[in-house]
Amino acid sequence: MDSSIFSLHHSSPLILSLATSCSNSTCSLGLSSPSGSFSFGPRHLDFSSVSRRLMAAPSPAASDNKATTANGGVGNGLFKPKIVNGDYGYVLEDVPHLTDYLPNLPTHPNPLQDNPAYSVVKQYFVDVDDTVPQRIVVHKDSPRGVHFRRAGPRQKVYFDSDEVQACIVTCGGLCPGLNTVIREIVSTLYSMYGVRKVLGIDGGYRGFYARNTIDLTLKVVNDIHKRGGTILGTSRGGHDTKKIVDSIEDRGINQVCEKLFVDQMEQMGINQVYIIGGDGTQKGAALIYEEVRRRGLKVVVAGIPKTIDNDIPVIDKSFGFDTAVEEAQRAINAAHVEAESGENGIGLVKLMGRYSGFIAMYATLASRDVDCCLIPESPFFLKGEGGLLEFVEKRLKESGHMVIVVAEGAGQELISETKSMTDASGNKLLQDVGLWLSQNIKDHLKAQKMSINLKYIDPTYMIRAIPSNASDNVYCTLLAQSCVHGAMAGYTGYTSGLVNGRQTYIPFYRIIETQNKVVITDRMWARLLSSTNQPSFMCPKLVAEKRKEMQMATEAQPSGQLMDDGNTGADKKAANKEVRA
């Protein structure tokens, strides 16, 4: 019989005393305070609200290590990226693991090995050395390049099913597929890992410290994938790292101490946090991870990238994008019907795309009825030779009608009324480019004594609010399952994403370091121009600037490093006037 008694002193005047006694493999734990005593074993804990208040008080270590976000960066940069270098230029940009700062955590066999649904699977678990390359177009003498850890179930897990209390939060704007991701996270935890405690945080990041939660069970989430929006609610802003992590810690005993009783103690607090949102939300997730690690908590922080604009880097695409492109077809088809049914008819459709024009570009390519597509990455000018207004006039005279698709972020630099105001997420508030463009087209053609019938369609909120289509539903399932597999395996500080058709774990810093944008020197944009037969609308000065930017980027690349198109820096320097293939 071995017994130990010690106290955890908090900033409050109360003292929480914990006593353990172990015999063979069985341990029990007692809690005592001036307000009463409590005891629990390795599989059961019964404590009153008094003990919860005791455990909620922060420890001195926690008080001394609060996250500071005033510097504007992602955390304080105390935790260096995990970079593994191998032979032939192999680089693994690895994700953090709980054992990086909690080295003596016990492991458990993965419950999937006893799951009947997986009995026919030849390879149950992902090999520990499996990685996925970021670039798949290579030359025979090219370095192997950057890789990410492959997602999937591992043979050993770092959480016992009974100890897991997970939470899910959705932040930012709406997007098709949010409910599907929520459903599949819950289903994976319940059906694959036997977890029975899953909470939904209501109302975005604010919900953590507002104490708004929803119990998520298989029954609750059963058919939510058939609905648009998110059953958890969402909001912009509201991120307060200290309050959020305090809330996670306050929900139970999560402070990991390397003492005898800890391995046997059931953790009653949140220890898996699943955060669904765009680049701003993932920046917040990175801050939460850093603060959790500073406090030494056994808490996984995992993200699932959500942006209808498809502007998150590294990953192949974000969920909801396919649905958005498909739904945009309805608006474009309606605009085309309106345009060809009237004299000099113009159908103008504004689609989402604050900084990236992917939805507008793909919807245009899919439609084949669009005469002109305008996106933020491709500047245009209105008046004069080669301008947009001249093109509109010419196309109307040739065809008698036309359809224009414009991304919401296009042409903002031309709208003089644009103000430097931002929303709660820090995004610049945009002027309505559709209304502005409509008025300029009307004024110009009126001056040319041309009567027109212009119809302006803005389907933005209709697209955001619909359920995800079949393709996105499958993608959401893979993202959610991969994210849960990683959390159970002890990985943390990562985003689950598709890279070259394979599910991977990507460190937060790679997701938030830049934005994914349409490359207007790429073949995809060239395909669009050949489909619409529109000019580039770029004045000679802008064309020269773009070429200069490309040349500088090429010269900055090491001669053996692969570019986005599969060519090396040496290839580019040998033919720096070549359009990217």
Side-chain angles (χ1 to χ4, degrees):
M1 171 79 71
D2 177 56
S3 144
S4 61
I5 300 177
F6 61 97
S7 298
L8 295 178
H9 294 264
H10 294 272
S11 57
S12 69
L14 296 174
I15 296 176
L16 176 62
S17 297
L18 299 97
T20 65
S21 61
C22 297
S23 176
N24 297 327
S25 61
T26 303
C27 291
S28 62
L29 176 66
L31 290 85
S32 64
S33 77
S35 303
S37 299
F38 318 91
S39 64
F40 54 89
R43 285 292 178 267
H44 177 69
L45 175 62
D46 183 17
F47 59 99
S48 68
S49 60
V50 177
S51 65
R52 179 175 285 279
R53 287 196 300 272
L54 289 172
M55 291 183 288
S59 66
S63 300
D64 294 339
N65 294 293
K66 303 302 182 186
T68 303
T69 60
N71 61 3
V74 179
N76 292 325
L78 299 179
F79 308 116
K80 296 181 180 179
K82 291 178 67 176
I83 306 295
V84 179
N85 294 298
D87 295 335
Y88 308 108
Y90 173 91
V91 178
L92 170 62
E93 295 198 17
D94 206 356
V95 296
H97 195 275
L98 289 174
T99 55
D100 293 343
Y101 61 98
L102 302 171
N104 297 320
L105 293 178
T107 59
H108 312 273
N110 195 317
L112 280 177
Q113 66 186 11
D114 300 318
N115 191 316
Y118 280 74
S119 61
V120 296
V121 178
K122 292 182 179 180
Q123 183 181 350
Y124 274 71
F125 306 114
V126 173
D127 190 276
V128 67
D129 292 325
D130 281 0
T131 59
V132 178
Q134 184 176 4
R135 302 278 187 248
I136 57 173
V137 179
V138 297
H139 294 172
K140 61 182 180 180
D141 55 350
S142 301
R144 294 178 64 187
V146 172
H147 290 63
F148 299 107
R149 188 167 291 280
R150 184 185 174 191
R154 267 55 179 177
Q155 192 165 7
K156 296 291 184 181
V157 296
Y158 284 78
F159 291 93
D160 185 88
S161 301
D162 293 335
E163 79 172 284
V164 174
Q165 179 159 303
C167 75
I168 306 170
V169 64
T170 54
C171 305
L174 295 183
C175 175
L178 280 170
N179 278 335
T180 306
V181 173
I182 295 168
R183 181 188 189 277
E184 295 309 317
I185 291 176
V186 175
S187 297
T188 303
L189 286 167
Y190 268 77
S191 303
M192 294 188 184
Y193 288 98
V195 174
R196 292 297 179 265
K197 291 172 286 188
V198 186
L199 293 175
I201 305 298
D202 188 8
Y205 278 134
R206 289 187 182 89
F208 277 101
Y209 48 87
R211 315 292 294 187
N212 299 329
T213 59
I214 302 170
D215 288 329
L216 298 176
T217 64
L218 290 177
K219 184 177 180 180
V220 170
V221 303
N222 181 53
D223 61 353
I224 64 173
H225 61 292
K226 300 175 183 177
R227 293 181 252 162
T230 165
I231 63 165
L232 300 181
T234 185
S235 65
R236 295 189 183 276
H239 185 278
D240 187 312
T241 306
K242 177 183 177 299
K243 286 184 178 180
I244 291 171
V245 180
D246 282 348
S247 173
I248 293 171
E249 205 173 358
D250 183 49
R251 295 174 188 271
I253 303 174
N254 265 321
Q255 185 70 40
V256 174
C257 310
E258 293 186 6
K259 299 293 182 181
L260 181 64
F261 73 90
V262 171
D263 290 346
Q264 306 295 330
M265 184 176 69
E266 179 179 6
Q267 299 230 354
M268 294 303 294
I270 293 173
N271 46 29
Q272 291 185 9
V273 182
Y274 297 95
I275 300 174
I276 310 168
D279 55 349
T281 300
Q282 300 303 312
K283 288 178 183 177
L287 290 169
I288 294 170
Y289 154 71
E290 291 194 356
E291 179 63 4
V292 162
R293 180 166 177 169
R294 285 189 189 92
R295 299 190 190 188
L297 306 180
K298 185 187 176 183
V299 177
V300 164
V301 181
I304 293 181
K306 180 262 334 170
T307 167
I308 201 169
D309 293 347
N310 199 41
D311 59 359
I312 290 181
V314 181
I315 62 175
D316 294 353
K317 64 177 179 179
S318 54
F319 73 84
F321 176 71
D322 284 352
T323 304
V325 172
E326 182 178 304
E327 188 66 15
Q329 299 302 298
R330 299 178 183 271
I332 294 175
N333 290 341
H336 183 246
V337 170
E338 289 283 354
E340 68 177 359
S341 298
E343 181 184 3
N344 290 331
I346 300 176
L348 177 60
V349 180
K350 186 182 78 170
L351 297 176
M352 289 157 292
R354 178 179 293 273
Y355 304 112
S356 303
F358 285 102
I359 293 179
M361 180 175 71
Y362 277 81
T364 295
L365 281 169
S367 170
R368 300 291 175 175
D369 288 328
V370 179
D371 299 278
C372 181
C373 178
L374 305 173
I375 61 174
E377 296 89 338
S378 182
F380 65 92
F381 63 102
L382 286 178
K383 301 177 181 179
E385 184 178 355
L388 176 63
L389 296 178
E390 181 189 71
F391 173 73
V392 170
E393 181 181 347
K394 179 181 177 182
R395 182 57 58 91
L396 283 178
K397 290 178 178 178
E398 291 175 350
S399 304
H401 67 275
M402 71 178 302
V403 175
I404 302 172
V405 170
V406 57
E408 61 180 331
Q412 291 295 317
E413 70 280 359
L414 301 178
I415 308 176
S416 58
E417 292 82 10
T418 298
K419 300 176 183 178
S420 57
M421 297 177 62
T422 59
D423 62 19
S425 296
N427 298 315
K428 183 179 178 180
L429 292 176
L430 303 178
Q431 297 294 309
D432 193 325
V433 65
L435 291 175
W436 174 81
L437 201 55
S438 298
Q439 191 59 51
N440 275 274
I441 291 173
K442 290 177 181 177
D443 292 344
H444 173 76
L445 295 178
K446 183 178 180 181
Q448 302 302 315
K449 302 187 184 304
M450 288 182 64
S451 61
I452 63 169
N453 289 288
L454 190 148
K455 300 296 187 294
Y456 173 43
I457 300 175
D458 181 359
T460 298
Y461 294 104
M462 295 174 62
I463 293 175
R464 290 180 3 146
I466 65 172
S468 51
N469 63 12
S471 173
D472 272 324
N473 270 338
V474 173
Y475 185 31
C476 290
T477 300
L478 296 177
L479 284 172
Q481 290 184 358
S482 297
C483 199
V484 172
H485 290 321
M488 293 299 294
Y491 294 111
T492 183
Y494 68 89
T495 292
S496 174
L498 194 70
V499 176
N500 294 321
R502 293 285 186 177
Q503 293 292 330
T504 63
Y505 300 137
I506 306 165
F508 280 139
Y509 69 87
R510 285 301 310 272
I511 291 293
I512 62 181
E513 64 185 358
T514 186
Q515 285 184 316
N516 187 32
K517 294 188 176 183
V518 174
V519 179
I520 61 172
T521 54
D522 193 25
R523 283 195 297 179
M524 188 60 76
W525 184 246
R527 293 185 183 105
L528 180 140
L529 295 180
S530 67
S531 171
T532 61
N533 291 315
Q534 70 185 67
S536 67
F537 300 121
M538 293 176 65
C539 62
K541 181 180 178 181
L542 287 173
V543 172
E545 288 177 355
K546 287 291 180 182
R547 286 177 177 170
K548 185 177 180 180
E549 289 175 6
M550 282 187 62
Q551 184 173 354
M552 292 175 63
T554 300
E555 292 174 350
Q557 289 282 349
S559 59
Q561 183 172 339
L562 281 175
M563 308 282 282
D564 286 345
D565 57 4
N567 293 321
T568 64
D571 299 330
K572 290 289 188 173
K573 292 169 187 175
N576 55 21
K577 292 184 180 180
E578 178 184 347
V579 176
R580 211 177 87 171

